[in-house]
């Protein structure tokens, strides 16, 4: 009884219970925190907060990655319900990629080496193989011109007949500064070619001629 009286005395000393928000006496039960008006306002603001939080959660749940190439952003409900891109730039980039995929031809295996290549011209031969082909073509043309200029009926050094066609030899070897020109090249037999190696013409004579 003494404790209760003490509490009531303390409350009387503090005056009527006041609203915790506007600090006016609220005239309600002593345990009430707010006056009627403030209680309504607090309630309303709590509901608004809860609604906002739900909206945020829904937005987060609906987020999906942007479909733009190389874009790491995500697209939510605020971008529109069925938007796939975070921005116009991403939409245009994706369109460009799709268009390229449509117009780009499928790679085909190179006719020489089998590597898959995409080429518009020189059908189905990759670039390194094209280079090899050009080199081979140049060599064949040069050999033809050497045969035409100097003849290929017999060895140019020893006059031996060349039933298998002979090989091309440099009079001044490449290693001694000779050039791959028609003037410096002759059709010779295999024996002469193997024996002469990188000697000049005045350092060497056909061995199978001097022996016999
Ligand atoms: Zn109040
Ligand atoms: Zn994007
Ligand atoms: Zn190739
Ligand atoms: Zn010969």
């Amino acid at each position: 009884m003494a404790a209760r009286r003490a509490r009531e005395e303390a409350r009387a000393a503090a005056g009527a219970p006041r609203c915790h928000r506007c600090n006016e006496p609220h005239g309600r039960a002593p345990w009430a925190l707010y006056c009627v008006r403030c209680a309504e306002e607090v309630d309303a603001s709590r509901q608004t907060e809860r609604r906002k939080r739900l909206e945020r959660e829904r937005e987060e749940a609906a987020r999906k990655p942007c479909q733009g190439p190389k874009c790491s952003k995500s697209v939510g409900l605020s971008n529109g319900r069925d938007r796939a891109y975070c921005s116009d730039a991403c939409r245009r980039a994706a369109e460009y990629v799709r268009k390229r995929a449509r117009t780009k031809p499928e790679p085909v295996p190179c006719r020489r080496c089998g590597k898959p290549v995409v080429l518009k011209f020189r059908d189905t031969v990759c670039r390194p193989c094209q280079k090899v082909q050009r080199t081979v073509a140049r060599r064949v043309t040069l050999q033809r011109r050497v045969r035409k200029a100097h003849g290929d009926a017999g060895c140019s050094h020893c006059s031996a007949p060349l039933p298998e066609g002979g090989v091309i030899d440099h009079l001044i070897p490449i290693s001694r500064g000779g050039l791959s020109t028609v003037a410096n090249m002759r059709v010779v037999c295999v024996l002469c070619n193997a024996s002469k190696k990188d000697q000049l013409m005045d350092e060497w004579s056909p061995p199978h001629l001097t022996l016999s």
Side-chain angles (χ1 to χ4, degrees):
M1 287 305 264
R4 188 174 171 181
R5 197 177 305 123
R7 262 207 313 275
E8 275 169 5
E9 272 165 15
R11 197 174 294 143
R18 288 168 181 275
C19 169
H20 281 220
R21 196 158 169 264
C22 62
N23 210 26
E24 294 297 317
H26 58 46
R28 302 173 72 193
W31 57 83
L33 281 177
Y34 307 117
C35 66
V36 174
R37 193 164 52 85
C38 284
E40 275 171 7
E41 283 176 16
V42 165
D43 210 40
S45 86
R46 271 190 193 143
Q47 274 182 18
T48 312
E49 229 158 74
R50 192 181 310 129
R51 203 171 52 240
K52 276 183 185 163
R53 202 183 58 234
L54 281 176
E55 240 164 55
R56 261 203 311 277
E57 282 171 6
R58 248 209 346 264
E59 166 93 15
E60 272 321 300
R63 282 193 101 72
K64 51 188 180 178
C66 167
Q67 300 294 301
K70 292 181 196 159
C71 181
S72 53
K73 290 180 191 153
S74 62
V75 188
L77 290 176
S78 55
N79 294 85
R81 189 159 283 277
D82 35 46
R83 281 277 295 272
Y85 308 105
C86 70
S87 63
D88 265 2
C90 275
R91 186 178 48 73
R92 277 197 302 274
E95 253 165 36
Y96 175 75
V97 168
R98 274 199 301 275
K99 192 174 156 201
R100 266 206 67 141
R102 273 201 306 276
T103 52
K104 206 170 94 180
E106 282 291 299
V108 286
C110 165
R111 215 157 12 95
R112 283 177 62 101
C113 70
K115 262 193 317 202
V117 281
V118 173
L119 290 172
K120 278 185 187 165
F121 313 108
R122 297 199 183 240
D123 51 339
T124 68
V125 178
C126 77
R127 229 161 263 278
C129 288
Q130 282 172 23
K131 210 168 165 186
V132 171
Q133 279 186 340
R134 275 199 296 274
T135 310
V136 169
R138 252 202 304 276
R139 192 158 58 224
V140 167
T141 309
L142 181 62
Q143 291 189 1
R144 198 177 298 133
R145 283 172 57 210
V146 170
R147 287 172 191 279
K148 199 177 168 197
H150 307 298
D152 60 356
C155 173
S156 173
H157 298 321
C158 69
S159 302
L162 302 171
E164 71 293 317
V167 291
I168 305 288
D169 183 47
H170 289 78
L171 295 182
I172 305 170
I174 299 279
S175 60
R176 307 282 289 267
L179 298 175
S180 287
T181 56
V182 172
N184 189 39
M185 293 164 93
R186 296 290 186 278
V187 180
V188 304
C189 72
V190 177
L191 278 173
C192 284
N193 187 245
S195 126
K196 181 170 169 285
K197 290 194 173 114
D198 57 356
Q199 298 171 85
L200 298 172
M201 282 312 286
D202 49 11
E203 297 167 353
W204 171 85
S205 54
H208 42 296
L209 273 192
T210 45
L211 281 176
S212 64

